[in-house]
Structures are given as C-alpha cells and as structure tokens.
Amino acid sequence: MRKPTFTMQSISNHGTSNPIVARLGLQSIELLNWVDISDVERDDASSLIFELHKKLLRCHDCLEKLKENDRATVAGIRNIFGSGAMAIPYLINLQDEVENFLMVAKQYLRDIVAPINKIYRENLNEDSSIFWDKKGLASKAEAWAECKYGAGHRLTQMFRADATWIAELVKRRNAMEHPGGHSGSLILQNYRVVGPTIASPRWRRDVNGQHGQSSLILPDLELALTRLLEFGEEIVAQCVLTRPIHEHFTIYEIPPEKRSPDNPARFKVGPDAFLLERLAEAEGAMEKQK
C-alpha cells in the first residue's frame, strides 16, 4: 500500500488550524490509509474528499462573512448609542450569504455520496435525497447500511440520527430556491424592534400558510456547519472500522482539549484492546529475559 501523492497548491487562505482542513481534509486522507481498498480506489477517494472539503470551506466562508458583518453593525450601533442617537442594526448581505450557504451545503450532501460509493464499493444514487425520506421513513442510505451491516451498526445509526437535520437543511434550501413549493417558503428576518428590545436575525420555514418555528440564524448556521463536518469525517472513520487493513486496529477519538491547535484532528488509528494486551505481554516477557 502506498500513500496518495498530491501536488500542493495554495487554493485558499485556510490552513491546517481550520477544523475543516484538519479533519475533513488531512485527517480523512490519513484514515484512508487504514482502509482495505486498492491504491487506485484510495487515490480516487482522496481526490473526491479533497474537493468535498473545499465545498465545506465555502460554507464556512459564508458564515464568517455574516459574523464579521454582524460584529461590524453591532459595533457601529454602539457608537451611535454612545453619541445619544438611536438606530436599528442591519446585517448586511444576510439574504445572499444564507442562500449561498444553503446552496453549497446541499451540493456537499450530494457530492459526499461519490466517496461513499468509492470506499464502500457501492452504487448509491449521487443525490442529497438518499439521506432523508419525504414521508419520514428510513432513508435510502439508512436502508442500505442496515441491509449490509445491521440495524445496530454505527453507520446505520448515524444515517438514522442525521436524517432529521439533513432533511430540514435541504428543505430550507428548496424553500429559498422555490418559494411556495413543496418545502414552503423560507422567511428571513433581519434585526428588528420587538416590543422594548431589538431582536437578532431569525428565520423560519412556513408551509401551507402555517408559520414554522423561528430560531436565530447565525447559531443555526454554526450548528449546521459542525454537523456537516462531523457527517463527512465519520463516514470515513466508519469505513476504517468496517474494512480495516488489519482486524486489530481501531479508531480513537482525541478529546477536544488534547487536539493540537495547529492541526485539530479528531480521529486517529491505533491498536485495539486485544492487540495492546498482546503487546504488553510481549514487552513484559522481554523484560523478564533481561
């Protein structure tokens, strides 16, 4: 087995300290070295995941622009209040950045199927719709994982648990792209006066004239970004456990407080409990011979 080779080129201003680069990019490519697939499959999967992580960085950039604009408008309003005047803050480019975030997020969920097909040697339909079901039943991804690995397998459980938030994220994109359609309409509210206070930007999805639940936009996008990252990296990690190059190697999660700020990888591969015990026994035997 050889490691995939890449020609490095600066494509963004994001370094390895960015969790998306460290975990979906570098970490995933490293984990693939522990999956029992051919070098060609490994190279192809690494290239697909590398392109995938660039999409998630675009979501990250949309969110960062909104957060930067939000900090700027709040600071500006504080200065105005300090002078004795009154004003209502306004988050610039809210509509555009939310639309861009949702568009790329849906593309990410579509494009993640290609590396799944490559490393699991499957032929799933390359569309985000395989991760959720319109009627709330088991998704195609969950049904496939359950059929192949069982209902209790971590991959099956992940697809089952993640279907709800994936469905809502895709529906919000569809509602924004096709207002009044099957997914309803996405309502964005900028800063506004509500009673004696100023309310932060919120959004909701209205369907058939019924108002959906309203929530804060920026925290929701932050949570969605985290979920998308974890979804991608765990698909690769589960493949290491499902098809390892050696039966006694497993995945370990690095506690957040122990992750390097320069490269905050979440997963690493190491010997399992059985192999660690055998290694300890061998080391003990060697010590006795000295």
Side-chain angles (χ1 to χ4, degrees):
M1 180 192 72
R2 61 177 176 80
K3 289 188 176 183
T5 57
F6 295 93
T7 300
M8 300 306 294
Q9 181 182 25
S10 178
I11 59 170
S12 75
N13 59 350
H14 301 290
T16 58
S17 61
N18 185 306
I20 295 172
V21 177
R23 290 162 55 180
L24 187 60
L26 300 179
Q27 173 185 271
S28 293
I29 292 172
E30 174 61 27
L31 291 180
L32 286 175
N33 291 319
W34 299 90
V35 178
D36 186 19
I37 52 179
S38 70
D39 289 335
V40 172
E41 289 172 315
R42 188 173 292 104
D43 286 354
D44 289 347
S46 296
S47 296
L48 290 168
I49 292 170
F50 185 73
E51 292 303 313
L52 192 67
H53 107 284
K54 292 196 295 185
K55 274 197 167 57
L56 200 55
L57 284 173
R58 288 175 58 191
C59 289
H60 171 274
D61 289 344
C62 291
L63 177 56
E64 287 303 307
K65 288 176 184 176
L66 283 175
K67 289 162 67 176
E68 182 179 349
N69 290 345
D70 190 56
R71 288 190 294 266
T73 192
V74 170
I77 290 300
R78 284 175 179 168
N79 290 335
I80 293 174
F81 284 173
S83 66
M86 295 293 293
I88 300 174
Y90 183 83
L91 182 48
I92 299 173
N93 293 333
L94 176 62
Q95 179 92 12
D96 290 345
E97 297 301 344
V98 169
E99 184 172 4
N100 289 337
F101 183 102
L102 293 175
M103 176 186 69
V104 180
K106 185 178 178 180
Q107 292 173 353
Y108 172 91
L109 290 166
R110 175 199 66 197
D111 293 349
I112 204 171
V113 184
I116 292 176
N117 284 336
K118 184 63 64 175
I119 61 180
Y120 287 91
R121 292 176 176 165
E122 291 297 333
N123 191 32
L124 300 171
N125 183 35
E126 295 185 12
D127 193 274
S128 62
S129 63
I130 74 164
F131 298 120
W132 62 285
D133 182 80
K134 293 181 179 179
K135 297 181 180 180
L137 304 175
S139 68
K140 292 182 176 64
E142 180 190 341
W144 159 73
E146 181 173 352
C147 179
K148 187 154 188 178
Y149 303 113
H153 193 275
R154 170 59 187 157
L155 193 65
T156 307
Q157 294 175 343
M158 184 184 74
F159 286 141
R160 184 183 304 125
D162 289 346
T164 301
W165 68 260
I166 289 176
E168 183 59 30
L169 195 63
V170 173
K171 287 176 182 179
R172 293 202 172 208
R173 165 58 185 166
N174 293 343
M176 196 165 208
E177 187 178 14
H178 307 289
H182 294 298
S183 297
S185 300
L186 190 63
I187 309 301
L188 304 183
Q189 296 174 314
N190 213 303
Y191 280 100
R192 66 203 184 284
V193 176
V194 178
T197 64
I198 297 177
S200 296
R202 303 178 72 90
W203 62 348
R204 67 175 193 270
R205 186 169 61 88
D206 294 350
V207 182
N208 297 327
Q210 298 294 316
H211 283 195
Q213 184 175 356
S214 176
S215 57
L216 295 170
I217 295 177
L218 295 185
D220 282 358
L221 293 182
E222 192 86 58
L223 178 59
L225 187 65
T226 298
R227 284 171 165 171
L228 290 166
L229 170 57
E230 292 177 347
F231 187 68
E233 66 178 347
E234 288 183 13
I235 284 173
V236 180
Q238 289 306 309
C239 195
V240 176
L241 297 176
T242 303
R243 303 180 58 190
I245 60 174
H246 191 286
E247 62 177 329
H248 291 302
F249 278 87
T250 189
I251 290 284
Y252 292 96
E253 182 168 358
I254 304 170
E257 66 274 10
K258 293 186 177 181
R259 297 172 192 171
S260 169
D262 297 328
N263 185 3
R266 178 185 172 197
F267 294 122
K268 65 178 180 179
V269 178
D272 65 7
F274 175 86
L275 186 53
L276 285 172
E277 187 176 342
R278 300 291 83 78
L279 290 172
E281 289 175 354
E283 185 177 353
M286 291 177 63
E287 286 294 327
K288 288 181 180 180
Q289 294 175 1
K290 290 182 179 180

